[in-house]
């Protein structure tokens, strides 16, 4: 098995300071958070950004500031969201890609998201994919439902796949596929040959989903975007704490945690891109 890649999704588009007092919001806070997570074993930072008042934004300037701050302090692989918030327009969601992060998330289908709908019709997904590839960005296919794997395969077949294939299995979003005990093995078994994958358990399911991924040779994503409670009635105190938990689970399972260099090799990413946004 490859060493375990830990992705930290430290911000998201929905969480507020009312619920999570330690949510990083400014570029400096995000970079400090990223540095702590890197120390604890994370190798990818999945990035959302916020406006000064804390509301989610897809503003290119805010992404540039956060990207520059992270790259100034860490060697982490930076993965932009292309989902944003459910209220963001298609044009707003695609705009930050011009900054050429290492990776970007790409959800390959529409799905209910609580009371809202996360809109990802096929033409949008195709446009985002083509844009990512033209900029040398490696997509991470976000899978909320089994059919999204088929959508990703179609995309790869239609456009050629001159890059490593990496998936993230997201389980337990209200409105999408629950974190059933057999969900991770089922989805992993249907991924294309040679693909790598991580798994994300939303809410308390992060422990079970993380253990499944570690055991089955996948990788793990966690962080405030996905997890509010570290344990029952115990709000997570930091993203670092969540990384440490996953790293501890890997240690218990006898699986080493990947360095950033190892993660780059596994994911077929070129070397550090420097400080574009600084
Ligand atoms: Zn996200």
């Amino acid at each position: 098995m490859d060493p375990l890649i830990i992705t930290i999704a430290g911000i998201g588009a929905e969480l507020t300071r009312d619920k999570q007092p330690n949510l990083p919001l400014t570029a400096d806070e995000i970079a400090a958070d990223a540095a702590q997570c890197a120390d604890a074993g994370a190798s990818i930072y999945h990035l959302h950004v916020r406006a000064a008042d804390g509301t989610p934004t897809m503003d290119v300037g805010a992404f540039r500031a956060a990207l520059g701050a992270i790259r100034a302090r860490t060697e982490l692989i930076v993965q932009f969201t292309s989902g944003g918030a459910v209220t963001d327009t298609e044009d707003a969601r695609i705009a930050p890609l011009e900054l050429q992060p290492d990776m970007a998330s790409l959800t390959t289908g529409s799905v209910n998201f609580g009371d809202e709908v996360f809109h990802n019709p096929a033409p949008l997904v195709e446009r985002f994919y083509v844009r990512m590839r033209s900029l040398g960005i490696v997509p991470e296919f976000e899978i909320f439902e089994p059919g999204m794997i088929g959508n990703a395969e179609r995309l790869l077949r239609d456009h050629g796949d001159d890059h490593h294939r990496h998936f993230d299995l997201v389980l337990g979003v209200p409105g999408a596929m629950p974190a059933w005990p057999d969900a991770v093995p089922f989805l992993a078994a249907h991924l294309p040959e040679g693909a790598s994958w991580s798994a994300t358990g939303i809410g308390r399911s992060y422990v079970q989903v993380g253990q499944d991924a570690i055991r089955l040779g996948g990788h793990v994503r966690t962080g405030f975007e996905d997890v509010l409670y570290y344990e029952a009635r115990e709000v997570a105190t930091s993203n670092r704490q969540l990384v440490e938990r996953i790293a501890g689970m890997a240690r218990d399972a006898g699986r080493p945690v990947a360095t950033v260099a190892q993660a780059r090799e596994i994911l077929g990413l070129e070397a550090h891109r420097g400080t574009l946004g600084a």
Side-chain angles (χ1 to χ4, degrees):
M1 275 185 204
D2 284 328
L4 181 76
I5 298 170
I6 301 175
T7 298
I8 190 72
I11 306 159
E14 304 202 329
L15 192 59
T16 61
R17 281 252 169 98
D18 295 346
K19 285 187 175 165
Q20 176 45 270
N22 296 321
L23 181 69
L25 294 177
T26 67
D28 281 349
E29 289 167 355
I30 292 168
D33 183 59
Q36 286 187 14
C37 292
D39 283 347
S43 39
I44 303 177
Y45 203 93
H46 170 77
L47 184 66
H48 288 250
V49 295
R50 303 297 184 98
D53 65 358
T55 55
T57 177
M58 292 301 287
D59 177 65
V60 174
F63 271 93
R64 183 181 291 111
L67 178 64
I70 294 170
R71 286 184 172 168
R73 291 191 59 169
T74 79
E75 293 290 315
L76 288 173
I77 296 161
V78 179
Q79 179 190 89
F80 281 9
T81 177
S82 74
V86 289
T87 47
D88 285 315
T89 65
E90 181 174 331
D91 287 345
R93 287 167 55 187
I94 202 173
L97 296 179
E98 70 181 58
L99 299 174
Q100 293 185 283
D102 302 281
M103 302 181 78
S105 60
L106 181 57
T107 302
T108 55
S110 299
V111 65
N112 282 359
F113 219 91
D115 293 339
E116 311 285 341
V117 176
F118 183 21
H119 287 278
N120 297 292
L124 176 153
V125 177
E126 188 172 24
R127 179 185 171 203
F128 282 23
Y129 177 78
V130 169
R131 176 78 173 149
M132 287 176 196
R133 292 311 300 146
S134 74
L135 292 167
I137 299 166
V138 173
E140 176 179 276
F141 297 112
E142 306 296 329
I143 305 302
F144 292 71
E145 298 281 3
M148 291 186 189
I149 296 174
N151 295 346
E153 284 177 322
R154 237 181 333 272
L155 202 57
L156 291 164
R157 194 178 58 230
D158 291 350
H159 292 276
D161 54 318
D162 54 344
H163 59 89
H164 177 72
R165 296 178 277 193
H166 184 67
F167 289 75
D168 182 42
L169 314 175
V170 187
L171 298 165
V173 169
M177 190 167 176
W180 291 315
D182 54 351
V184 173
F186 169 77
L187 293 174
H190 288 278
L191 295 176
E193 189 75 33
S196 60
W197 57 277
S198 62
T200 302
I202 302 299
R204 290 290 308 288
S205 73
Y206 84 100
V207 175
Q208 182 58 52
V209 167
Q211 277 166 347
D212 288 345
I214 290 167
R215 177 173 53 86
L216 294 168
H219 305 279
V220 177
R221 169 179 137 167
T222 190
F224 287 165
E225 177 171 349
D226 308 321
V227 177
L228 182 60
Y229 291 99
Y230 182 78
E231 281 289 344
R233 293 182 295 282
E234 188 188 328
V235 173
T237 56
S238 65
N239 282 309
R240 179 190 180 115
Q241 180 193 37
L242 293 166
V243 174
E244 284 172 344
R245 180 149 200 189
I246 300 299
M249 284 160 43
R251 211 164 30 241
D252 291 347
R255 187 150 170 219
V257 173
T259 63
V260 176
Q262 287 172 324
R264 283 190 180 279
E265 196 179 328
I266 293 165
L267 297 167
L269 297 171
E270 58 189 74
H272 194 50
R273 285 175 182 241
T275 51
L276 255 184

